[in-house]
Amino acid sequence: MTASLPNLHLPRAPALRRQRVDGALRLSYRADRDGITRLADLYQRAPCRVLFPDVDAGEPPQAVLLTTSGGLTGGDRLDIALQVGARARATFSTQAAEKLYRALDDEDDTRIDVTLDVGAAAWAEWLAQETILFDRARLRRSVTMNLGGDAHVLALESVVFGRRAMNERFDAGLLHDVWRIRRDGRLIWADAQHLAGHVQDRLDARLGYHGAAAAATLLLIGPTAAAQLDAVRDTLSALPVTGGATTLDGLLIVRLLGTDAMALRDAAVTVAGLLRARAGGLPARLPQVWYC
Amino acid sequence: MVRGIERMSADFDPGSDTLYRLLAWTSPSYPVGAFSYSHGLEWAIECGDVRDVATLVAYIETVLRHGGAWMDAVLFSHAWQAADDDAAFDEISELAAALRGTAETALESRQQAQAFLQVTRRAWPHPWLDAFAERQRGRHLSHAVVMALACAAHGIALTAALHAYLHGFAANLVSAGVRLVPLGQTDGQIATARLAPIVADVARRAPACELDDLGSAAPMLDLFSMHHETQYTRLFRS
């Protein structure tokens, strides 16, 4: 039937536009005179929201960030600024995986900028759940950390290159993923991954991402970071992912690649748990949202 | 003083002493210790990922197009262009020194940078090099950025300087491959010849890459370098 054939001469209907997202979150913890960490400042603008679940005794206060829009697309941006004052302790996590949907050609890249300022002798954790890149998503993400003196930070970020279980792949698009770590104002480590265009070749290449369906970066920054290297290497050697660890300038860097996103998640949870126990004196278990 | 930036459009005269300097600085005999670094190649050979001319070329091509040498090429370009602006140059220098994925690739770049600066200040002195060394005392440096400064200071055009830097980077890895695989000397030169269009392509594209788009896309190279740290028998420091 001719009715089922597309009419190639019709102009394309204009894409339905939803309002662009411009979310922001500012969240600040400080230690009071007794050394107890208290919430000091909170500002949230949709779709950014934060929850404060009850935590077990001995755990730092926990903030769980969520995006109520149910995903992000071209032109959307989130601006997240977190502070942990001197001697305070806090754990930041995210409620669920962040979905990055396809951006249209005429839309700007999606931007997510996270800054974490951590005062001297403080312990802060940034334990974000996965970012899932749908095909033709275009994401520019930065994580900037400013540490005072002997502060410790444990950080985890991971990205999933399409949901393979749903037969989806991140074949084309942009991932520009940046870390900047400063201690006492001086840049001690920077990292930038740039996957652009037809990314599937890079993801499949043995010398690229080695067929990874997901990738994770874990960082431990602080005076005891380097001392964890051997324990992390021992743990990595028993995990079903491709991984490695190194230390430089008071940083422990762990990189994980996995052909199975769930196995990669489990591996990241194992290593992060190990580090929070060894360096933070905390339970090896991650925040409850990781197990929901 | 003729500032490097004003020489950008000047033709590169092969009869001038700028060519002589460039050849000296990128020669394997320039005493920066390049011969002791393999940029993870030693582990890739241990694993069997690199075992002949084709796989050696593939490894070095990945470093050049998606790995550390690509990052350094872009940083080299931006540093050369900012050479007459201390604040801008120092910011690129700090970024370049920090953009190191592993302990050994950091050592590779930082140690060669220190050696290059020290030797070049004595043998090919220039006030820019002295001023930079004074400002950066005690800080980490990167080989690409220090050489970019020397090239700009001595009036060497960016295109030629970057091409020579990348040739030196690639040739050094070929040399490491020849020793480690091992390969014959002629095979090494076949690899070098095959890398020529890749070096030229990277040298052409890197100056057009904005710092906002600078990044690598080869995490396996970082993993090779991390594993090299614990390689049982090894000849190289990276």
Side-chain angles (χ1 to χ4, degrees), chain B:
Chain B
M1 184 192 311
V2 178
R3 299 226 142 182
I5 198 84
E6 291 159 11
R7 295 287 193 90
M8 190 173 173
S9 59
D11 286 335
F12 187 65
D13 174 7
S16 73
D17 56 0
T18 54
L19 178 61
Y20 189 87
R21 288 177 192 141
L22 197 51
L23 289 170
W25 298 344
T26 55
S27 158
S29 69
Y30 206 62
V32 297
F35 63 88
S36 59
Y37 300 102
S38 89
H39 204 81
L41 181 61
E42 188 164 27
W43 178 257
I45 290 166
E46 174 86 9
C47 294
D49 280 293
V50 172
R51 55 194 174 275
D52 54 22
V53 171
T55 49
L56 177 63
V57 168
Y59 189 92
I60 300 171
E61 177 172 9
T62 303
V63 177
L64 288 165
R65 291 196 187 278
H66 307 289
W70 165 253
M71 306 275 278
D72 279 336
V74 175
L75 293 161
F76 188 111
S77 308
H78 284 268
W80 189 97
Q81 281 156 354
D84 58 353
D85 178 340
D86 291 352
F89 185 86
D90 289 356
E91 196 175 321
I92 292 167
S93 177
E94 182 184 49
L95 174 63
L99 267 172
R100 302 293 145 187
T102 69
E104 291 187 345
T105 52
L107 179 76
E108 175 183 313
S109 177
R110 293 168 180 177
Q111 195 124 67
Q112 291 186 81
Q114 292 292 353
F116 185 95
L117 187 58
Q118 196 178 342
V119 173
T120 310
R121 285 177 69 197
R122 294 289 305 279
W124 316 85
H126 191 284
W128 287 11
L129 296 175
D130 293 340
F132 176 70
E134 194 57 41
R135 295 197 305 273
Q136 298 294 313
R137 193 175 297 278
R139 300 194 182 193
H140 291 311
L141 306 177
S142 68
H143 186 203
V145 164
V146 174
M147 188 173 143
L149 179 63
C151 290
H154 285 277
I156 300 173
L158 173 58
T159 314
L162 180 56
H163 201 127
Y165 171 80
L166 290 169
H167 168 267
F169 201 116
N172 188 56
L173 292 188
V174 168
S175 168
V178 165
R179 278 178 282 167
L180 289 167
V181 171
L183 297 172
Q185 294 295 339
T186 303
D187 277 344
Q189 289 311 307
I190 290 170
T192 300
R194 285 190 194 166
L195 288 164
I198 298 159
V199 165
D201 186 45
V202 171
R204 189 175 47 76
R205 287 191 299 113
C209 180
E210 298 294 333
L211 288 177
D212 282 348
D213 288 328
L214 171 63
S216 62
M220 283 299 285
L221 296 181
D222 278 349
L223 291 178
F224 284 151
S225 173
M226 290 176 184
H227 285 285
H228 184 263
E229 293 177 32
T230 54
Q231 188 167 339
Y232 184 66
T233 305
R234 47 186 228 156
L235 300 175
F236 289 80
R237 303 177 75 190
S238 74

Side-chain angles (χ1 to χ4, degrees), chain A residues 140 176 189 194 206 233 246, chain B residues 49 100 212-213 216 229:
Chain A
R140 289 180 179 270
H176 186 75
W189 190 65
H194 188 82
R206 161 68 180 161
R233 281 184 169 152
T246 188
Chain B
D49 280 293
R100 302 293 145 187
D212 282 348
D213 288 328
S216 62
E229 293 177 32

